Amino acid sequence: MQLSTQLIHGGISEDPLTGAVSVPIYQTSTYRQKKLGQPGDFEYSRSGNPTRQALEALIAELEGGVKGFAFGSGLAAIHAVLSVFQPGDHLILGDDVYGGTFRLLEKVFKPLGLSYTMVDSRELSQLEAALTDQTKALYLESPSNPLLKIIDLEKSAVWAKKHGLLTIVDNTFATPYLQQPLRLGADIVLHSGTKYLGGHSDLVAGLATTNNAELAEKIGFYQNAIGGVLGPQDSWLLQRGIKTLAVRMEAHQKNAEIIANFLSNHPAVAKVYYPGLAEHPSHNVAAKQMRGFGGMIAFELLDESQVANFVESLKVITLAESLGGVESLIEVPAIMTHASIPKEQREAAGIKDGLIRLSVGIEAVEDLQSDLNQALLTNITADNS
């Protein structure tokens, strides 16, 4: 099947008992066992639930994994994956990862003996410099959050395998519709299902999948042992959201391309980060490994002091954390999503205090452009006066 068809009919897309074309919400905690010590396919919903199983089968199929796992949040998925490592192990990760990922490593796993080094993961020379005898994995985001850095995933995975490392890719910004890291050599793929996969800002979820049976067994163990699983209601909502991913992503990126070009030519804007722009330093890499350039943009104003006034004066675009919903969302990473990263580390990675991240929604692009223009011109006028 083509991917847009697979999004709708992949995994377990109908109820095997009744033929219902929407897998039911199995709102149950436990299941009858007919014989002592001989449970059926399901025994307790932390360990397995038919609604969640349908979602897990779908993400595995979409990414090319052997098994999928659904969690109560993206960070719960990352927590379970990082749990496969042992005290003394070392990870290499990108220098502008999501702030929650940094916080989880720094505040939870580092005290337990896991160490990490943050580098510009686009540069193999920096990966080499960070490599130690204890390094066990390369953790990547591409496009990265929030600077939209593009990592050559195939090249990175080859390098990692050469050194006996796992390659873990957070594919939240791209989604499997635009990019499939396992097919490019990665070992584990993560998603915040809250974002584009759900697509409607009405759920919180995390997903993981792998093409390695041994890793799948370990992740499955930690999913059950830690217990941060996704409930059946949100599993159903997330599977429903995925069915429309193709049409939504096409609309997101069509709007994003127009907005990125608009911002690039606006006199109040200093710099725009969007891999679809020809001047983006990794534009060619993105074009090679992605089916499109996505719906995320970051940009800086000429006058950083006007950032708060600008984001607060928008009418159509909502000032809020998160991304990937049908509505456009804007935020300031240094104050919001990446505040947990120390200022000196943020700035060293290029995350300035005035950096703005925009998740371009699927509203009429004329309305988005007008909203941005009005807010930008208002602040230029206020500044000049």
Side-chain angles (χ1 to χ4, degrees):
M1 289 186 286
Q2 297 296 309
L3 187 56
S4 56
T5 304
Q6 204 172 16
L7 290 165
I8 298 168
H9 296 288
I12 303 170
S13 58
E14 63 180 43
D15 181 23
L17 295 178
T18 65
V21 297
S22 174
V23 175
I25 300 170
Y26 284 87
Q27 196 70 49
T28 184
S29 61
T30 193
Y31 307 81
R32 178 191 291 273
Q33 298 186 24
K34 295 181 178 179
K35 290 184 178 295
L36 183 63
Q38 297 180 32
D41 293 338
F42 302 96
E43 55 182 311
Y44 188 62
S45 277
R46 171 169 44 76
S47 305
N49 174 282
T51 316
R52 192 177 87 229
Q53 182 189 58
L55 170 65
E56 292 173 331
L58 178 59
I59 192 60
E61 185 171 324
L62 294 175
E63 287 285 13
V66 296
K67 192 168 175 55
F69 306 92
F71 299 85
S73 69
L75 279 170
I78 297 169
H79 183 271
V81 167
L82 293 181
S83 294
V84 307
F85 300 105
Q86 303 298 316
D89 288 349
H90 172 257
L91 308 181
I92 301 173
L93 62 153
D95 56 4
D96 70 327
V97 295
Y98 166 54
T101 304
F102 170 84
R103 183 177 59 237
L104 179 63
L105 277 163
E106 177 68 17
K107 301 298 184 181
V108 178
F109 281 98
K110 187 176 178 181
L112 297 176
L114 199 64
S115 64
Y116 64 91
T117 302
M118 299 175 73
V119 301
D120 185 342
S121 47
R122 293 172 298 182
E123 303 294 334
L124 289 182
S125 59
Q126 292 200 29
L127 299 181
E128 290 281 0
L131 187 67
T132 75
D133 291 340
Q134 287 74 44
T135 305
K136 295 296 188 292
L138 178 60
Y139 186 104
L140 304 171
E141 293 177 355
S142 185
S144 69
N145 182 6
L147 288 171
L148 285 302
K149 293 179 181 178
I150 302 295
I151 315 300
D152 189 322
L153 295 178
E154 192 169 22
K155 186 182 293 184
S156 299
V158 168
W159 178 85
K161 283 180 170 57
K162 173 185 172 184
H163 295 285
L165 313 181
L166 296 177
T167 301
I168 304 167
V169 178
D170 185 327
N171 201 32
T172 297
F173 274 24
T175 80
Y177 181 70
L178 298 182
Q179 176 177 271
Q180 295 165 306
L182 295 182
R183 303 188 193 282
L184 295 170
D187 301 288
I188 299 171
V189 171
L190 290 159
H191 289 276
S192 172
T194 312
K195 312 303 193 297
Y196 286 109
L197 296 179
H200 295 79
S201 301
D202 55 8
L203 63 92
V204 175
L207 297 168
T209 186
T210 176
N211 53 10
N212 180 298
E214 184 179 350
L215 282 173
E217 186 175 352
K218 289 180 180 179
I219 296 169
F221 171 81
Y222 287 112
Q223 180 193 40
N224 185 53
I226 297 170
V229 298
L230 191 63
Q233 177 82 30
D234 285 342
S235 295
W236 181 84
L237 276 173
L238 184 47
Q239 189 173 23
R240 184 180 69 164
I242 290 172
K243 289 177 186 292
T244 61
L245 181 64
V247 291
R248 287 188 289 105
M249 288 306 296
E250 290 293 345
H252 280 297
Q253 61 185 6
K254 181 180 178 181
N255 279 359
E257 183 178 355
I258 295 170
I259 296 299
N261 281 289
F262 163 75
L263 292 171
S264 295
N265 293 299
H266 201 285
V269 176
K271 187 172 183 179
V272 177
Y273 303 83
Y274 181 65
L277 295 174
E279 59 266 30
H280 188 283
S282 301
H283 172 75
N284 291 337
V285 177
K288 178 186 73 170
Q289 69 186 23
M290 299 174 69
R291 297 180 61 196
F293 301 106
M296 298 300 300
I297 299 171
F299 62 100
E300 299 165 8
L301 302 184
L302 278 174
D303 185 356
E304 188 178 287
S305 69
Q306 293 298 316
V307 167
N309 290 335
F310 165 67
V311 298
E312 291 171 5
S313 64
L314 292 163
K315 306 299 184 187
V316 177
I317 299 169
T318 303
L319 176 61
E321 299 201 14
S322 198
L323 59 102
V326 292
E327 64 286 295
S328 295
L329 301 174
I330 200 163
E331 63 110 11
V332 180
I335 297 172
M336 300 169 73
T337 56
H338 290 68
S340 59
I341 301 176
K343 179 180 173 66
E344 61 275 12
Q345 283 184 250
R346 288 198 310 265
E347 292 186 341
I351 306 172
K352 300 177 182 178
D353 285 349
L355 182 75
I356 298 164
R357 190 189 75 185
L358 172 62
S359 172
V360 181
I362 62 174
E363 302 96 337
V365 73
E366 297 85 358
D367 292 331
L368 299 178
Q369 196 165 301
S370 175
D371 194 29
L372 288 164
N373 192 47
Q374 185 63 42
L376 288 167
L377 291 177
T378 298
N379 289 295
I380 291 173
T381 304
D383 184 49
N384 289 340
S385 64

